[in-house]
Structure formats: structure tokens, C-alpha cells
Amino acid sequence: MTWDSDFFLYVGREIVEGRTPYIDFYDHKGMFHFFVFALIYLLGHGQKRAVIVVFSLLSGIVLFFGLMTLKELGVTKRSHQLCFVAMYLVLYGICWRMGAFYETVAPFFAVAVYLYIRFLRTGNRIPMFVGSLFMGLEMGLSLNARPLDGLWGGAIALFAFFYSLKKKRI
């Protein structure tokens, strides 16, 4: 856990106890992140390990859809999949953020990337539409917390859109 996660757990407590954001406490991020940590504070009764549990679950979702994306791309060898898992865990261990904002939107991003790749591979439009829903959630939540993170979603959505126009799949 980092200073950010400690601060946001404090923010979550302040919201649960009825304090007003931006008046009784301040951070430059938007409300989404504040309310995520208010929910974590409620679920975990103020314990720091609740942050670890929630963000481990979020990372598990990202890892699962990362593996699904590899499978969609034709990577079926177990050794390659295990290498991906190992690299993910090593990079996550190096960064060890537990509570960083991007971790709250990363599952939406991972699901959208998987669905876009599925669409590009099969030509079926339903994964693109559902992927666009997830990418829209990622972008909207990012814009309500840390706008820079929304750029990733926008870039991938634009790529899928223009690729589809080129291939005449839309």
C-alpha cells in the first residue's frame, strides 16, 4: 500500500462520516475515486486489508481478461500464458500500488480490449458494441477522477472504429 491508498481510505472514511468533499477535505481528483474508497471503507470496516482484497480482485479481473485476450490472439501454449502471468505479477510487484486510481478502471479497459480484439478477429459486431460500453465506462469514470487515464480508452475505441471502417465491418 502507498500513501495514495492511505489517503483515499481516509477520504472514504470522511465521506462515510458525512463530511463534504472539497470543503472538509480536498484532493484534485474527481468524485469517482472518493466513492470507491468510501465503499471499501464500509466493506472493510476501515481496515487497510480491505484495500488489498478489493484491489487484488480488480487485478485478478485484469489478469483473467489479459489471458482471454492472449487466447483470442491465438496464444495457446501454456508456457507463453505463464510467462504473461509472471510478467504481470512482476510488474505489479514492482509498482505495488494497491489503491492507485488506474486500478479501479483497469478491469473496464481489459474487458473492452478483449472484446475489441474478438470483434476484429471474428467480424461479429456484438463484441464491439459491448466493448464500446466498457470503454465508455472506463473513459467516463476516468474523466470523473483522473482525465488522463481516459485517453487510453479513447485511443483504442478510435483504433477499432477506423479499422472497422477500413475493413468495411461497420
Side-chain angles (χ1 to χ4, degrees), residues 50-91:
V51 174
I52 294 170
V53 169
V54 168
F55 283 91
S56 294
L57 289 172
L58 293 173
S59 290
I61 293 169
V62 171
L63 190 55
F64 173 77
F65 280 98
L67 288 169
M68 294 295 291
T69 300
L70 286 178
K71 187 176 178 183
E72 194 66 37
L73 291 170
V75 177
T76 56
K77 280 188 168 181
R78 281 283 181 231
S79 60
H80 293 140
Q81 293 170 346
L82 289 173
C83 182
F84 171 77
V85 171
M87 286 188 317
Y88 179 86
L89 293 175
V90 166
L91 289 173

